[in-house]
Amino acid sequence: MAMYKIQALAVQFLTTTPPELKSVLVRQTVLCYHRCCCCRASPSGLPEAGRHSITGDKPIQEQIGSSFIQHYYQLFDKDRVQPGAIYIDTSYLTWEGQQFQGKAAIVEKWSSLPFQKIPHSITSQDHQPTPDSCILSMVVGQLKANEDPIMGFHQMFLLKNINDACVCTNDMFRLSLHNFS
């Protein structure tokens, strides 16, 4: 995947991202739009994935992915229909094996969930660039719905640049429930 596509996605993300999320990402810009020594060292003449980043300390996909995750769960923990703004009409949500397509269906599913509050605690997250300039994010964590016991969960997001906006096209969620009996 050409690094320039990741950079373009990062720039698009930064220009279309709410200010509170943007402040997390913008520290110093170290984007490589010229042929620096490491670009010349790669066979294609393009920067290698993970070499250049917005803040210089992590690959761009990790910065965008982790900022997205932080923003998503902050919104979801406050009001579970707020993250609906990051989805589009062709987005898919798989929630515990049930599939929902489109922003309206996704928000309707979240609105129908029986809990009033659901704080999340993120244990780990991983982010990968995809060959078609998307970012795949996997989250492992714990949640507590109302007064229920703490439960583990896994969630996957596919983030894509569509019409100069970073949107979630695919979202899969599963509780980590085990029955050893």
Side-chain angles (χ1 to χ4, degrees):
M1 168 189 215
M3 188 63 194
Y4 291 124
K5 289 184 180 179
I6 294 175
Q7 290 171 339
L9 177 61
V11 170
Q12 304 281 340
F13 185 80
L14 288 172
T15 58
T16 59
T17 302
E20 64 274 8
L21 179 57
K22 218 182 282 189
S23 66
V24 173
L25 288 174
V26 179
R27 289 186 208 90
Q28 61 182 16
T29 302
V30 189
L31 295 175
C32 180
Y33 288 108
H34 60 284
R35 293 174 57 91
C36 65
C37 59
C38 60
C39 299
R40 286 190 297 269
S42 74
S44 67
L46 296 172
E48 294 177 17
R51 243 205 218 157
H52 298 278
S53 64
I54 295 170
T55 63
D57 56 349
K58 291 183 181 178
I60 290 172
Q61 68 272 7
E62 287 186 32
Q63 293 178 57
I64 292 172
S66 61
S67 295
F68 168 82
I69 297 303
Q70 178 184 3
H71 183 66
Y72 175 88
Y73 289 110
Q74 282 176 350
L75 290 176
F76 199 94
D77 291 354
K78 289 178 187 172
D79 177 5
R80 63 180 170 253
V81 298
Q82 281 188 8
I86 64 164
Y87 295 90
I88 57 176
D89 289 336
T90 56
S91 294
Y92 275 91
L93 166 68
T94 301
W95 185 276
E96 291 293 317
Q98 295 179 310
Q99 289 196 350
F100 304 89
Q101 183 181 7
K103 180 191 286 195
I106 292 169
V107 171
E108 184 179 328
K109 172 60 181 172
W110 288 338
S111 297
S112 71
L113 296 173
F115 50 81
Q116 297 301 311
K117 59 181 182 172
I118 184 162
H120 292 81
S121 174
I122 306 305
T123 305
S124 64
Q125 53 185 297
D126 296 298
H127 312 281
Q128 295 179 345
T130 66
D132 56 346
S133 301
C134 298
I135 297 173
L136 182 65
S137 296
M138 177 63 169
V139 178
V140 176
Q142 295 181 320
L143 58 83
K144 183 167 176 45
N146 293 332
E147 300 306 317
D148 291 343
I150 294 173
M151 296 178 276
F153 75 94
H154 295 83
Q155 193 161 9
M156 186 280 308
F157 300 94
L158 184 63
L159 307 176
K160 186 171 185 151
N161 179 3
I162 296 179
N163 298 326
D164 296 333
C166 187
V167 298
C168 180
T169 59
N170 299 80
D171 179 352
M172 292 186 214
F173 175 89
R174 281 274 181 184
L175 290 172
S176 301
L177 303 176
H178 304 283
N179 183 358
F180 294 111
S181 56

